[in-house]
Structure formats: C-alpha cells, structure tokens
Amino acid sequence: SMAGEQKSGGHRQQSHHIMAKLEEADPRWKVKDLGDAGKNVNGWHWTENDCLPWFKEKFEAQFNGDDNKVLEAEVEGGSGLKGELVCYKLETCTGEAHINRRKGNKVMVIYEMEVKIKWKATVRDAAGEEVSSSKGTYNIPCLDTVDAIDEFEISVKFNKDNDATTLANTFGKKQGSPRVRAMIVETIKTLQQEAGVGQKIPKDGSSTPSPAAAAAPAAAPAAPKPA
C-alpha cells in the first residue's frame, strides 16, 4: 500500500540520518567509505598517510637496547627490594596505521597493530645483591583505534616460571606492564598531536593541500558561520 511505502521511506531516511551521525563520531566509518579516487560516499576528499613506519621507529627507540631501562622502582609489598625492568627488543610491530585527513577540518589517526616487546627484569635486595631475574615478552595482540587509547590487552609471557624467577616475573607483570602501557599511550598521543588531531587544518596552505585544492584559485575568505 501507499502508506506502507511512505512509512518505510521515512524509516530509511531516519536510519540514513543516524548513519550520518555515526560518521561524524566514528572514524572507522570513514575508512570503509573510501572509494578508489580517495573520496568517500559523501564526496569528501581524503588523503591517507601510512604512519606504521613512524610507530616502528618510535617503538624501536623506546623498547630496544640491552641496557634500555624503562623502570626502576621499589618492589610492591614493602619488602625493601628494588626492581629494574629493561625492554631490550621490539620483536614485532605489524599491522596498519594511517593518518586520515579530510579536506576541511578533520584529522584522524587510525591504527590496528600487533606489538611484541622482549623484556628482562632483575630484583635486588637493599645491599644490591640480585635475588631474582627473569625474561619474557609483552604481547599486545591488537593495539587499535576501536578501544579507548589505554585499554588494549597486554599479555605477559614468562620464559621461565620457577622459584628463581618468581619475584622478577611478578615485577615484570604487575609493575612493568603498566609502565609499558603508559609509554605506548604517550607515543600514540604524540602522533595525534603531530598529525593535528582535534585541530582545524589551516586554510592558508601551510598544511599539504590536495592536488585539486592546489590547482584551484585562492578563494575569498569564508564568511563566519552564523551562530
């Protein structure tokens, strides 16, 4: 019937409106909507910059080196022991990471990576004598934009789990992994800042314009938007 058709048409319009709202809020819709020409369905121009190499370089600087101490702290529990954590090798950093720029004002960092970091921990008593040492790996199976920036999973693998390694393993897991998480979050935030997430891209050409924008004659200054 006619009424039935009108109703479903109205519903379609409404769901389209909801999708548009989702698109404003959720960067993942944008990526999926990209067409061959770098335009999404709404006709916005995007440029994508691969920033996986940037992440690799930063993580390598943070998590490589035989004496790369990332944490020195008293062992929790009031024993008077001191723990030290060294992250000595970025074993894996794979996946995808992009900076997406939409002509106008939106910049987003989109990433989905797997990261593995090799660590060694040492626990010493007040006299500086080593009482426990261990090695292991921090496995981050899915560091991605879907989760809140600091909510990714870190699973901690121990190379050996016995009396001699227990104290150091516990230090590596309980005190070491939050430190590594904080370092990774810091790196993501640095990239977001450098990429200009949350800032409007200046229209004076100081950001990289798209070829179409570069070819167009300079536009008159835009009138201020009505409040």
Side-chain angles (χ1 to χ4, degrees), residues 37-55:
K39 286 182 181 181
N40 71 1
V41 288
N42 296 334
W44 287 98
H45 291 264
W46 287 75
T47 57
E48 280 209 32
N49 296 351
D50 179 9
C51 54
L52 187 66
W54 186 96
F55 273 115

Side-chain angles (χ1 to χ4, degrees), residues 5 15 61-62 80 128 134 141 150 201:
E5 275 172 46
S15 63
Q62 284 179 305
S134 66
D150 60 351
I201 300 173

Side-chain angles (χ1 to χ4, degrees), residues 91-104:
E91 188 181 24
T92 303
C93 178
T94 56
E96 294 184 67
H98 299 282
I99 300 170
N100 287 359
R101 284 194 178 82
R102 188 169 76 179
K103 195 170 72 175

Side-chain angles (χ1 to χ4, degrees), residues 23-224:
E23 286 198 349
E24 278 170 43
D26 190 332
R28 282 166 290 154
W29 297 112
K30 298 293 177 199
V31 186
K32 286 178 187 156
D33 287 344
L34 278 172
D36 296 336
K39 286 182 181 181
N40 71 1
V41 288
N42 296 334
W44 287 98
H45 291 264
W46 287 75
T47 57
E48 280 209 32
N49 296 351
D50 179 9
C51 54
L52 187 66
W54 186 96
F55 273 115
K56 267 191 182 156
E57 194 180 298
K58 292 286 180 199
F59 290 155
E60 274 171 5
Q62 284 179 305
F63 302 121
N64 267 337
D66 283 340
D67 50 6
N68 177 38
K69 280 180 210 169
V70 300
L71 180 65
E72 285 181 280
E74 201 162 306
V75 173
E76 285 167 3
S79 56
L81 298 171
K82 292 256 166 41
E84 179 185 294
L85 179 73
V86 169
C87 286
Y88 66 93
K89 188 177 191 332
L90 177 71
E91 188 181 24
T92 303
C93 178
T94 56
E96 294 184 67
H98 299 282
I99 300 170
N100 287 359
R101 284 194 178 82
R102 188 169 76 179
K103 195 170 72 175
N105 60 4
K106 275 209 173 162
V107 179
M108 287 155 185
V109 177
I110 314 273
Y111 51 86
E112 186 176 340
M113 296 178 281
E114 181 187 3
V115 179
K116 288 184 186 175
I117 298 158
K118 292 198 163 191
W119 57 269
K120 50 189 179 184
T122 312
V123 174
R124 293 185 172 85
D125 63 18
E129 291 290 315
E130 186 179 301
V131 294
S132 179
S133 71
S134 66
K135 285 185 173 182
T137 309
Y138 295 121
N139 291 326
I140 301 159
C142 194
L143 179 65
D144 71 10
T145 332
V146 178
D147 296 317
I149 192 168
D150 60 351
E151 279 182 5
F152 51 88
E153 179 202 342
I154 300 183
S155 71
V156 184
K157 178 176 163 278
F158 307 131
N159 291 6
K160 288 180 183 161
D161 200 357
N162 54 37
D163 289 350
T165 61
T166 297
L167 280 167
N169 278 343
T170 302
F171 181 77
K173 182 170 186 168
K174 285 208 172 141
Q175 290 174 257
S177 57
R179 171 72 188 131
V180 167
R181 181 186 302 280
M183 290 170 75
I184 289 172
V185 167
E186 196 60 37
T187 297
I188 296 167
K189 284 183 172 168
T190 300
L191 179 62
Q192 287 179 337
Q193 214 171 353
E194 284 183 17
V197 171
Q199 300 162 18
K200 291 211 166 190
I201 300 173
K203 293 211 169 86
D204 59 8
S206 61
S207 66
T208 316
S210 68

